[in-house]
Amino acid sequence: MSTDAAHPLEPWARDLLRCPVSGATLVDATGPDGEPLLVSTHPTEPLAYPVRDGIPVLLADEARPAPAR
């Protein structure tokens, strides 16, 4: 699994990533404009984090409400 086909993230590293706000696991997603995101699996308040140049930006200030699925 990778965050971006051009910049794959090793599976073992990907499995270590967690939402910095809730601690929930993160799953790959795509934003409304086609941009790659990592979305927390928190059951009531999932947050989305951008992936820029293949690097997940896991900063609380960068978190946005996850897009509806």
Side-chain angles (χ1 to χ4, degrees):
M1 198 178 294
S2 70
T3 56
D4 182 318
H7 303 281
L9 190 61
E10 293 291 331
W12 65 267
R14 177 68 180 69
D15 290 341
L16 295 174
L17 298 179
R18 298 288 180 263
C19 173
V21 175
S22 69
T25 58
L26 297 166
V27 295
D28 294 311
T30 304
D33 296 330
E35 73 277 13
L37 300 171
L38 288 179
V39 176
S40 74
T41 57
H42 191 275
T44 58
E45 295 184 35
L47 296 172
Y49 296 89
V51 178
R52 295 186 185 124
D53 298 322
I55 300 169
V57 182
L58 300 179
L59 301 171
D61 290 347
E62 293 284 335
R64 303 288 178 258
R69 291 184 179 205

